[in-house]
């Protein structure tokens, strides 16, 4: 069972992001505040769960959380400010939307920027250690998957239904064959070799 909180006696928001390593699409982040004594043995790092279980848990998290929100940073913004800054900005945007103000923040990973002078702690593999970060990882992942599934209808040739924008062989071959879309992150090494100039897909 994951830990219910890191800070004693504070309203604590857990944050995580999804889509950092993708070649296409926005980066999503979520912030979740769970009740103090919350318990859910099924909650875990979203990467350890099946897709079906993630969506089941999303409904439970949204029902049980004191507050939750999702923040988004677009591919254009990622290209301007880089993916690390974009991931942190997405978390800040999620925190901005919380209906309850947190008194402390715990974040998956090892990088974060202060948010409104609140105490924060970064926790490597935090999505496998703390319930609120695990919940945030599930919300970020499922809402980003929904978004990539919608984009896949517009651009089916990139196999986004399966790869969600990550750099699979099929995705990179499609970029070589069809060029890039407005959703691709142009600051990334999209072909994996750094050689070719890329044209926009028609």
């Amino acid at each position: 069972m994951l830990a219910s909180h890191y800070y004693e006696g504070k309203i604590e928001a857990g944050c995580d992001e999804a889509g950092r390593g993708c070649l296409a699409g926005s980066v999503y982040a979520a912030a979740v505040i769970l009740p103090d004594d919350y318990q859910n043995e099924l909650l875990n790092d979203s990467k350890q769960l099946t897709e079906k279980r993630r969506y089941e848990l999303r409904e439970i998290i949204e029902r049980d959380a004191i507050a939750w929100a999702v923040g988004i940073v677009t591919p254009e913004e990622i290209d301007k400010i880089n993916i690390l800054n974009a991931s942190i900005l997405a978390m800040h945007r999620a925190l901005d939307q919380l209906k309850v103000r947190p008194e402390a923040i715990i974040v998956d990973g090892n990088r974060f920027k202060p948010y409104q002078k609140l105490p924060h702690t970064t926790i490597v593999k935090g999505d496998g250690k703390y319930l609120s970060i695990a919940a945030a990882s599930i919300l970020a992942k499922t809402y980003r998957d929904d978004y990539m599934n919608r984009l896949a209808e517009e651009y089916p040739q990139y196999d986004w239904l399966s790869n969600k924008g990550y750099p699979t062989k099929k995705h990179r071959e499609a970029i070589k064959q069809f060029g890039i879309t407005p959703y691709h992150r142009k600051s990334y090494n999209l072909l994996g070799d750094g050689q070719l100039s890329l044209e926009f897909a028609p």
Side-chain angles (χ1 to χ4, degrees), residues 110-131:
N110 61 1
R111 303 291 290 277
F112 192 65
K113 291 179 181 172
Y115 177 81
Q116 293 186 2
K117 299 183 179 172
L118 296 178
H120 71 266
T121 299
T122 56
I123 301 163
V124 174
K125 297 194 173 7
D127 48 5
K129 297 173 182 172
Y130 290 90
L131 288 167

Side-chain angles (χ1 to χ4, degrees), residues 9-59:
K10 288 186 184 293
I11 299 170
E12 180 178 279
C15 292
D16 199 4
E17 53 71 32
R20 244 179 105 160
C22 295
L23 304 180
S26 300
V27 65
Y28 274 54
V32 179
I33 300 173
L34 293 171
D36 257 357
D37 53 354
Y38 190 68
Q39 294 189 327
N40 185 329
E41 300 208 344
L42 299 177
L43 264 186
N44 202 346
D45 166 13
S46 64
K47 296 183 285 299
Q48 306 298 322
L49 303 169
T50 64
E51 182 178 25
K52 181 171 183 281
R53 176 57 57 82
R54 282 196 293 267
Y55 280 95
E56 289 168 356
L57 281 167
R58 180 167 89 177
E59 288 187 28

